[in-house]
Amino acid sequence: MTTQSVVPVLVAGATGRQGGATARALIAAGIPVRALVRDPATDRAKAVEALGAELITGDLDDPGSLRRAAEGARAVFSVQMPDMDGRGFDGEVAQAVNLIEGARAAGVPQFVHTSVSGAGQHVSWVKDQWAWMEPYYSAKAGIQDRVREAGFTHWTLIKPGFFMENFLPSARIMFPRGVEGGLVTLLKPATRLSLVAVADIGTAAAAAIAGPERLDRVELELAGDFLSMTDIAATLSRALGVELTAPDMTGEEATAAGMPDMGFAQACINEEPQPARPGFAKDLGLPLTTFERWARDQLRGDGQQGTSSGDLSAADAPREGTRESG
């Protein structure tokens, strides 16, 4: 056993989707995890601890706690979401800066951050009817800049596409009326999505940490599949045992059917597809989950698998003045 193999990784957001997936992937690879939690007594924190992670109390708004949490870590996994009940996107950036500076002060050599597909390439299209999404993408791009400029020996940016988990019926994102009510979305039938399983985010992050030079300074636009809504509906039909079609809805129709506010942000993909593609990860030798496999494994034909808890799905910017999902 090498000395490096017993040095922990500090994982932010370990009780959420992306951080949780990263914690599980690291533990599966035999890499110790130090999970940053605000309250170690919560059920979600205890669930992470039960996986084999060490819990350490800290808060992304408390720089001192982050420096202490990062002491002795070999790497930091970073994820933040906007605070829609307070500082919004400014709060997201502030928390990211706190974590970056805490890691640097503690002498952590590696930083792996998860962002969103297209952040940094958004300037040409986030305007006119999509101008309200500019703060969301600018916050993500600004954090990316901070990571690049921080001076870490090794760093990686993971930029995931559209979460497959959005299609979990229990999440009530694409199925707000349940499976029997069909898909509800402003995405057009021919629109193709850069789909990513949350587990693949964890796999990519763990690969970067296990071999720091392998994905050093890589900005990975991550997707496991690239399918039209028509093909997605067909895949869901097979997995759920219910005939589903890709709808062509107006905003009024989708809102009346219960579409959450994030659905308005998803609609931009009709005009500006996310740049994440499966080929990028394949070229790096990273395993990927196809949507067919994900649906078969996660839905199991009953339409009730999964949970809506965790961080906001990639590409689902909350509409101005609304709260993120989960």
Side-chain angles (χ1 to χ4, degrees):
M1 181 179 293
T2 65
T3 301
Q4 186 75 338
S5 66
V6 298
V7 179
V9 175
L10 179 65
V11 177
T15 60
R17 282 183 170 178
Q18 298 184 69
T22 298
R24 289 188 292 273
L26 289 168
I27 291 169
I31 299 173
V33 167
R34 183 185 294 168
L36 181 71
V37 298
R38 283 179 293 182
D39 182 357
T42 65
D43 289 343
R44 289 167 70 178
K46 290 178 179 178
V48 174
E49 186 177 32
L51 296 174
E54 167 200 1
L55 301 185
I56 189 163
T57 303
D59 192 308
L60 291 173
D61 288 318
D62 180 353
S65 74
L66 299 178
R67 180 188 55 76
R68 291 189 294 272
E71 288 286 351
R74 63 187 278 184
V76 168
F77 174 80
S78 165
V79 59
Q80 298 84 33
M81 299 309 302
D83 174 12
M84 299 313 295
D85 289 331
R87 297 164 296 165
F89 301 107
D90 290 341
E92 178 182 3
V93 175
Q95 290 185 340
V97 170
N98 287 342
L99 187 57
I100 291 166
E101 293 182 349
R104 288 291 293 141
V108 176
Q110 184 180 17
F111 200 88
V112 178
H113 177 73
T114 180
S115 183
V116 67
S117 181
Q121 303 176 40
H122 65 282
V123 177
S124 64
W125 62 268
V126 179
K127 56 187 177 182
D128 300 327
Q129 67 170 318
W130 306 115
W132 62 271
M133 295 180 65
E134 191 277 334
Y136 170 81
Y137 277 99
S138 289
K140 301 292 187 186
I143 294 169
Q144 292 173 175
D145 289 341
R146 294 281 190 149
V147 173
R148 296 183 190 105
E149 298 164 0
F152 292 105
T153 304
H154 303 289
W155 56 265
T156 303
L157 296 174
I158 300 172
K159 303 167 76 172
F162 193 101
F163 284 6
M164 295 180 188
E165 283 73 11
N166 287 348
F167 289 98
L168 288 169
S170 58
R172 299 283 175 172
I173 295 175
M174 308 301 286
F175 289 103
R177 301 175 296 189
V179 173
E180 64 280 1
L183 288 161
V184 175
T185 180
L186 293 178
L187 293 163
K188 300 299 183 182
T191 294
R192 300 181 74 181
L193 302 185
S194 300
L195 297 160
V196 62
V198 172
D200 286 355
I201 300 171
T203 298
I209 291 165
E213 295 183 357
R214 179 181 178 188
L215 300 183
D216 185 28
R217 289 167 171 72
V218 169
E219 302 187 17
L220 176 59
E221 288 279 358
L222 180 62
D225 221 331
F226 186 55
L227 298 175
S228 70
M229 280 298 299
T230 296
D231 290 336
I232 289 168
T235 300
L236 292 170
S237 296
R238 291 190 292 272
L240 293 167
V242 176
E243 188 64 31
L244 296 167
T245 59
D248 189 353
M249 307 179 95
T250 65
E252 292 77 12
E253 290 169 339
T255 299
M259 182 188 73
D261 286 310
M262 66 172 64
F264 288 97
Q266 294 172 355
C268 71
I269 303 175
N270 292 323
E271 300 176 19
E272 297 291 338
Q274 292 178 302
R277 296 290 184 275
F280 299 139
K282 288 179 180 178
D283 288 346
L284 294 168
L286 297 174
L288 294 171
T289 303
T290 65
F291 189 66
E292 184 83 41
R293 176 184 166 190
W294 176 87
R296 184 178 66 245
D297 291 348
Q298 297 298 318
L299 300 177
R300 304 190 189 103
D302 63 9
Q304 296 300 320
Q305 300 300 313
T307 175
S308 61
S309 65
D311 33 289
L312 183 70
S313 52
D316 293 336
R319 203 174 191 198
E320 190 172 17
T322 67
R323 180 176 172 81
E324 67 186 71
S325 170

